[in-house]
Amino acid sequence: MKNPEVINFAENPSLISRYMLELRDVTIQKDPMRFRRNLERIGEIMAYEMSRRMEYRDVEVETPLGIAHCQTPAEQIVLATILRAGLPFHQGFLSYFDHAENAFVSAYRRYKEKGGDSFDVLVEYLASPNIDGKTLILVDPMLATGSSMELGYRAMLKKGTPAHIHVASVIASRAGIDYVKDKFPENTTIWTAAIDDEINAHSYIIPGLGDAGDLAYGEKEDN
C-alpha cells in the first residue's frame, strides 16, 4: 500500500519560513495577536498551495461586456479543526476556502496522574456536516504524537467517508508524521511548515514552539 504524501514547506524556504521564525521566537511570542496572525498566515499559504492540486470545472460568467470562461473548484470541501489551538489556523484556511463547510472537534489530553507524563487523548465534542465523498481538510497547528489527529479523523468518519484527506499542521514531530502515515488511508496528503526530530516525555515537540493554545489564547488552568 502506498504511503500518504508528505509536503514539508521547510524544504523550500518561502514567506512561511519568516512566519515560523516569529512563531518560535520567545520574545515575539509575547504578542498573542501576532502569534494568532502568523498561524492564520501559514493557513492562508497552505490553502493556496492545496488549491493548486484540486480539481476544477469550467463555468461561464457574464460580465458587463460579454461572457468570460472561468474555472472554479469542483471539490466540496469540509474544513475541520481540532480545538482550541486550531482556531486561528482554521481561519487562515477559511479566508481562502470561503465556500467550505466547517467542522469542529474537541480532543484533549486527560493525564492519568496529576503532574505525570502518561495521558489518554479523548474526543469530547463533534459538530460536523456530512463528509461523504467530499475533500476533508483536518487542521491542527501541532502534530506531536499524531494521536489527537487520528482520533479527530476517526470521529469525523461518523459523518461519512471523504474522497480525499488533507492533514495540515504548523509543526510536526518526525514520530507524529510516521504515525499519521501509518494510521491514515492512502488518499491522504500531509502538509506541514516544519518537522522537528524530537518529542519530550510530556509529548511536546522539541524545539517546537511551546503550547500553541496557551500562546494564542492565554494559559489555561489544569484540571
Side-chain angles (χ1 to χ4, degrees), residues 6-164:
V6 178
I7 297 170
N8 179 8
F9 284 84
E11 294 176 350
N12 296 288
S14 67
L15 275 175
I16 284 185
S17 306
R18 172 65 190 184
Y19 303 146
M20 287 298 302
L21 179 156
E22 295 190 1
L23 285 173
R24 291 185 190 264
D25 190 315
V26 293
T27 58
I28 301 174
Q29 284 182 350
K30 295 176 182 177
D31 182 351
M33 184 170 67
R34 189 165 188 84
F35 188 87
R36 293 192 300 270
R37 181 61 187 129
N38 283 330
L39 291 177
E40 288 181 20
R41 286 168 165 168
I42 294 173
E44 290 166 356
I45 295 172
M46 283 190 182
Y48 172 75
E49 293 297 332
M50 283 183 191
S51 75
R52 299 176 64 197
R53 290 174 164 236
M54 292 181 176
E55 295 181 2
Y56 287 77
R57 58 183 175 87
D58 297 325
V59 295
E60 291 185 348
V61 175
E62 183 178 353
T63 79
L65 301 175
I67 300 297
H69 297 276
C70 302
Q71 291 182 314
T72 190
E75 301 178 25
Q76 290 182 277
I77 297 170
V78 176
L79 177 58
T81 297
I82 309 293
L83 298 174
R84 68 178 166 150
L87 289 174
F89 196 35
H90 176 107
Q91 185 57 49
F93 281 89
L94 188 58
S95 294
Y96 279 36
F97 294 127
D98 56 336
H99 289 88
E101 297 176 282
N102 292 264
F104 299 92
V105 183
S106 172
Y108 70 99
R109 297 179 178 186
R110 186 175 68 182
Y111 286 89
K112 296 179 180 178
E113 294 181 7
K114 191 169 184 178
D117 297 329
S118 181
F119 61 87
D120 296 317
V121 178
L122 303 176
V123 171
E124 187 176 50
Y125 171 83
L126 170 67
S128 173
N130 184 280
I131 66 170
D132 208 39
K134 300 176 183 177
T135 297
L136 175 64
I137 303 175
L138 186 56
V139 309
D140 188 356
M142 311 303 290
L143 180 61
T145 64
S147 55
S148 295
M149 195 73 82
E150 184 200 9
L151 282 178
Y153 167 65
R154 299 294 175 195
M156 294 291 299
L157 290 180
K158 298 174 184 177
K159 305 297 183 179
T161 303
H164 192 88

